[in-house]
Amino acid sequence: MTYDSFVLSCLIIGGFEWIMEKIIEIHDLRTYFETAEGTIRAVDGVDLHVNAGETVGIVGESGCGKTVLALSVMRLIPSPPGRIVAGRILFDGKDLLRLQEDDMRRVRGRSISMIFQEPMTSLNPVIRVGDQIAETMRLHLKLSHKEAMERAVCMLERVGMPSPADRIYDYPHQMSGGMRQRVMIAMALSCEPRLMIADEPTTALDVTIQAQILDLITRLKEESKNSVLLITHDLGVIAETAQQVVIMYAGQVMERCSAQQLFSNPCHPYSVGLLESRPRFRAGSGTDGYLKAIPGGVPGLYDLPAGCTFQDRCPNVMDVCRKERPELKEMGDGHFSRCWKNEK
């Protein structure tokens, strides 16, 4: 569906409310890893969706399951030890988890693409970057080598690479971190996918380059009319780029809402803790000028406690939190939270 036909197909209720087309829907996704210490429930019953033209941010501490969720969508979970044990991932009316591997290969890169967290380990160190970008287009768009290389130059120019006609002959180690990330973005967008997954695309980059990369992803999303699933631990990035936010903890969705709702009215204690841990650029903020931290750490995913997984770090813990696991429930206006205090 083109963007124009999508706009025309949207229905208006009450003159202003739009029913958006859902690009991808994830229902009760569970991805486990079998280890010597036990079963790690890296993704444990995740539900979310991404609308057309929308950026959805996935936020949480390291080890909360964000990257495993993205790899599950791409069907790139290493097996063994990992396996997707349950759930549905609906894309274009098809369940990606039921596709044969050959059919899934046609989806990867063409309809859904991914910008991996560390481009230096994601790019092949012995193949020139132009050939790596061209390979995707030759596979999915059936272009000749010459046509693919010409388009690779255009893609590098589009992502702001200096001297793109020369850079296609460089190897990854000859580029800076920001340049390598631009190569990854060019590769991800080369076949004009409908959904782009960006796994912490600004990791290890200085703040100036981070801003450039985020502006680039936003601009290209608007130009291509695609959707973005953005994984990050930086709430500043969410405030700048995302329309919807999913807060993950210990493999579960703790809160799901619009970015505006998260910053104005967070409902889950974990979300509140993340927001309070942000630096305040003024003297005397917080407690004696120090950053406020969430006590403790993410529990071992192979030995999760009964009840709420956030109970040992929560300032509002109640008896019921240690006995029964709360469900993700709507608080109103599309705002969902997994917390017993919201039901009182």
Side-chain angles (χ1 to χ4, degrees), residues 1 23 75 86 126 129 191 228 260:
M1 177 183 290
I23 293 296
R75 290 262 304 268
V126 297
V129 296
C191 295
V228 177
Q260 181 179 3

Side-chain angles (χ1 to χ4, degrees), residues 94-124:
K94 299 178 181 178
D95 188 348
L96 299 183
L97 300 183
R98 304 292 182 265
L99 293 183
Q100 296 295 323
E101 183 56 32
D102 288 345
D103 294 328
M104 190 62 206
R105 286 196 190 100
R106 285 188 279 270
V107 173
R108 292 192 204 105
R110 182 65 181 94
S111 300
I112 305 176
S113 63
M114 184 167 176
I115 303 171
F116 293 93
Q117 185 169 351
E118 178 46 66
M120 193 61 195
T121 57
S122 302
L123 294 170
N124 193 316

Side-chain angles (χ1 to χ4, degrees), residues 51-216:
N51 291 326
E54 183 176 65
T55 296
V56 175
I58 310 290
V59 186
E61 296 169 271
S62 296
C64 286
K66 305 184 301 296
T67 296
V68 174
L69 172 63
L71 294 176
S72 298
V73 172
M74 299 295 287
R75 290 262 304 268
L76 293 175
I77 296 296
S79 179
R83 59 193 177 96
I84 301 174
V85 301
R88 293 187 300 157
I89 303 175
L90 303 179
F91 182 81
D92 278 343
K94 299 178 181 178
D95 188 348
L96 299 183
L97 300 183
R98 304 292 182 265
L99 293 183
Q100 296 295 323
E101 183 56 32
D102 288 345
D103 294 328
M104 190 62 206
R105 286 196 190 100
R106 285 188 279 270
V107 173
R108 292 192 204 105
R110 182 65 181 94
S111 300
I112 305 176
S113 63
M114 184 167 176
I115 303 171
F116 293 93
Q117 185 169 351
E118 178 46 66
M120 193 61 195
T121 57
S122 302
L123 294 170
N124 193 316
V126 297
I127 299 179
R128 300 179 192 274
V129 296
D131 290 323
Q132 296 189 56
I133 299 172
E135 180 183 15
T136 303
M137 293 181 285
R138 294 182 65 186
L139 175 64
H140 292 292
L141 304 181
K142 309 303 181 184
L143 301 181
S144 66
H145 181 266
K146 180 180 179 181
E147 291 171 332
M149 290 298 285
E150 290 175 349
R151 183 158 175 168
V153 173
C154 294
M155 290 305 304
L156 288 179
E157 182 178 14
R158 187 179 178 191
V159 299
M161 180 73 76
S163 305
D166 297 326
R167 288 297 181 183
I168 61 171
Y169 300 107
D170 285 353
Y171 292 96
H173 71 271
Q174 296 176 289
M175 295 182 163
S176 67
M179 286 181 174
R180 288 193 292 266
Q181 197 62 280
R182 290 175 191 273
V183 171
M184 291 294 297
I185 296 172
M187 191 181 303
L189 289 173
S190 60
C191 295
E192 299 182 358
R194 297 182 65 198
L195 175 66
M196 181 170 64
I197 302 173
D199 186 5
E200 299 197 24
T202 58
T203 297
L205 301 178
D206 64 64
V207 292
T208 302
I209 302 301
Q210 285 184 25
Q212 292 176 3
I213 294 299
L214 291 173
D215 288 343
L216 175 62

